[in-house]
Amino acid sequence: PLMRALAKLIKCNTPDLVLFVGEALVGNEAVDQLSKFNMALVDHGDGRLQVIDGVLLTKFDTVDDKMGAAVSMAYTSRKPIMFVGTGQTYRDLKSLNATSVVKALLR
């Protein structure tokens, strides 16, 4: 019922941007959540193909070795990670710094 309601919300409001919001701490489980969310949008879209436009990852400031999940999410969905949350306010939403992610992965 929830995914059907979300698909209906998207259909009725025709937003400019649909973001998947996931928690960075769950690691590769986030990739599975993203895939299932995207598939549910397609399945409940009443014939209208609507998938996500990008990803917002929360709790990104506490991530260490699970940063590879962010890369996997972008690769799997073919959509960019548009924002990462590093705190609890709107000011804590940052653009993803790909250079720092690559450096962290190569450490």
Side-chain angles (χ1 to χ4, degrees):
L2 176 61
M3 290 312 303
R4 190 171 291 123
L6 284 173
K8 183 178 179 181
L9 184 67
I10 290 170
K11 180 182 174 188
C12 292
N13 293 299
T14 60
D16 294 326
L17 191 65
V18 176
L19 295 178
F20 171 79
V21 179
E23 189 175 291
L25 292 176
V26 298
N28 283 323
E29 180 67 27
V31 176
D32 187 46
Q33 291 172 1
L34 171 63
S35 297
K36 288 180 179 176
F37 181 76
N38 233 356
M39 188 54 69
L41 287 179
V42 171
D43 289 347
H44 299 296
D46 294 332
R48 184 172 165 260
L49 184 62
Q50 174 66 53
V51 294
I52 65 160
D53 297 305
V55 177
L56 186 157
L57 285 176
T58 64
K59 300 182 182 177
F60 204 74
D61 54 328
T62 57
V63 175
D64 45 24
D65 59 339
K66 295 182 180 162
M67 213 172 278
V71 174
S72 295
M73 291 176 79
Y75 178 79
T76 301
S77 68
R78 305 275 190 239
K79 302 294 180 182
I81 296 174
M82 301 179 97
F83 302 103
V84 292
T86 58
Q88 297 183 8
T89 67
Y90 287 118
R91 288 176 293 186
D92 297 322
L93 286 176
K94 312 282 187 215
S95 295
L96 179 68
N97 183 337
T99 303
S100 65
V101 171
V102 171
K103 283 182 182 177
L105 287 171
L106 296 175
R107 273 193 260 156

